[in-house]
Amino acid sequence: MYLQPAYRQAGNKTQINFSTSVTEHRISCRLVPMLRDRKYLEVVHYFLLEILKIEMRIFISHLTIQIMTKVKHIPDGVSAVLPMLVCRDVSAEIDFCKTTFNALEGVRRPGPDGKAAHAAVTINGAMIMIECEWPTLSSRSPQADGSSPVIIYVYVEDVDSAIEKAVAAGAKILLPAKDQFWGDRTGRIMDPEGHVWTISSRIKETSSSEREDRWSKILNG
């Protein structure tokens, strides 16, 4: 921020122009010729102080806005869409994700009873939140019968190996691994908390026309 005054004398009237980094001001005042120098200095001194006060308020306001605009509303390393799995046992779900998907634990926070109430894990860079059943919220874990309306689709290097690990960790196979028409090999499992996962590996790249032809053949028998 800066102040740059400029003065122009016209008879017994002095015009003072202030150009600043934020605003511009123009002040005109009549001066008594005999007291011109003293009054001139008094006027300049007074208006400079007033304008400095205004400029400081404007500067602080702009600085606050600039600081606020630097906040990233979508944090780095976080997807815009994050699944949140409500579980009866947060710790058990964390262990399942680590065993099956080699998940990395990022956050684990305890609840009032000391047990894990909130956690965040990443699977191949994708974050998933895990939350306990709070008495003040209506969200509950799905029934352990495979009927969960939400299915998490996750890609892994080896779908068959991942399903074996899931079963070893207490999961139930809902659909065995199978090659799909769009080029993935997928299997569907239900974890011990009732959440349903489709585990997939890409085994072949396909074009849009290939996928349409294959789907048409499936529909037509």
Side-chain angles (χ1 to χ4, degrees), residues 84-88 90 117-119 129-134 141:
M84 178 181 283
L85 308 182
V86 176
C87 301
R88 288 172 287 272
V90 171
H118 170 83
M129 292 184 183
I130 303 173
E131 199 78 8
C132 71
E133 295 181 338
W134 292 99
S141 303

Side-chain angles (χ1 to χ4, degrees), residues 1-40:
M1 182 181 70
Y2 62 86
L3 278 171
Q4 185 177 356
Y7 315 103
R8 186 171 66 85
Q9 185 70 36
N12 66 346
K13 189 175 182 180
T14 300
Q15 187 177 82
I16 309 172
N17 297 330
F18 294 96
S19 297
T20 73
S21 59
V22 181
T23 60
E24 292 185 0
H25 305 273
R26 176 174 294 178
I27 303 165
S28 295
C29 56
R30 292 186 179 278
L31 304 176
V32 178
M34 292 178 60
L35 302 176
R36 180 179 299 171
D37 293 340
R38 188 180 68 183
K39 290 293 184 181
Y40 183 84

Side-chain angles (χ1 to χ4, degrees), residues 5-207:
Y7 315 103
R8 186 171 66 85
Q9 185 70 36
N12 66 346
K13 189 175 182 180
T14 300
Q15 187 177 82
I16 309 172
N17 297 330
F18 294 96
S19 297
T20 73
S21 59
V22 181
T23 60
E24 292 185 0
H25 305 273
R26 176 174 294 178
I27 303 165
S28 295
C29 56
R30 292 186 179 278
L31 304 176
V32 178
M34 292 178 60
L35 302 176
R36 180 179 299 171
D37 293 340
R38 188 180 68 183
K39 290 293 184 181
Y40 183 84
L41 292 175
E42 290 177 355
V43 170
V44 170
H45 179 72
Y46 170 79
F47 282 112
L48 276 175
L49 288 177
E50 291 302 310
I51 290 173
L52 277 172
K53 292 177 183 178
I54 296 172
E55 289 295 321
M56 284 303 299
R57 288 195 294 268
I58 295 174
F59 177 75
I60 292 172
S61 175
H62 285 193
L63 182 62
T64 302
I65 293 173
Q66 290 177 4
I67 293 174
M68 291 178 64
T69 55
K70 290 182 179 179
V71 175
K72 293 184 178 180
H73 301 296
I74 301 177
D76 291 334
V78 178
S79 301
V81 179
L82 288 176
M84 178 181 283
L85 308 182
V86 176
C87 301
R88 288 172 287 272
D89 189 336
V90 171
S91 294
E93 188 71 4
I94 295 172
D95 292 340
F96 173 81
C97 290
K98 287 181 176 180
T99 299
T100 306
F101 306 114
N102 297 319
L104 299 177
E105 182 178 334
V107 177
R108 185 190 296 227
R109 296 193 183 100
D113 59 359
K115 296 180 180 179
H118 170 83
V121 300
T122 56
I123 300 173
N124 289 331
M127 184 180 292
I128 292 179
M129 292 184 183
I130 303 173
E131 199 78 8
C132 71
E133 295 181 338
W134 292 99
T136 54
L137 298 175
S138 58
S139 298
R140 291 291 178 267
S141 303
Q143 296 297 317
D145 58 5
S147 63
S148 173
V150 178
I151 300 171
I152 306 155
Y153 199 105
V154 56
Y155 276 104
V156 297
E157 290 292 335
D158 187 337
V159 60
D160 295 283
S161 175
I163 291 177
E164 288 180 6
K165 292 178 181 178
V167 172
K172 178 182 178 181
I173 296 177
L174 301 179
L175 292 173
K178 179 183 177 181
D179 296 350
Q180 304 294 343
F181 72 92
W182 61 88
D184 286 358
R185 179 173 174 79
T186 69
R188 183 171 295 186
I189 58 100
M190 179 186 66
D191 69 29
E193 290 294 309
H195 293 286
V196 178
W197 303 72
T198 292
I199 305 176
S200 179
S201 295
R202 178 60 53 87
I203 58 174
K204 184 179 181 181
E205 296 297 340
T206 60
S207 65

Side-chain angles (χ1 to χ4, degrees), residues 211-221:
R211 293 190 292 272
E212 290 178 3
D213 291 340
R214 292 175 182 179
W215 182 241
S216 179
K217 291 177 181 178
I218 293 171
L219 290 179
N220 296 326

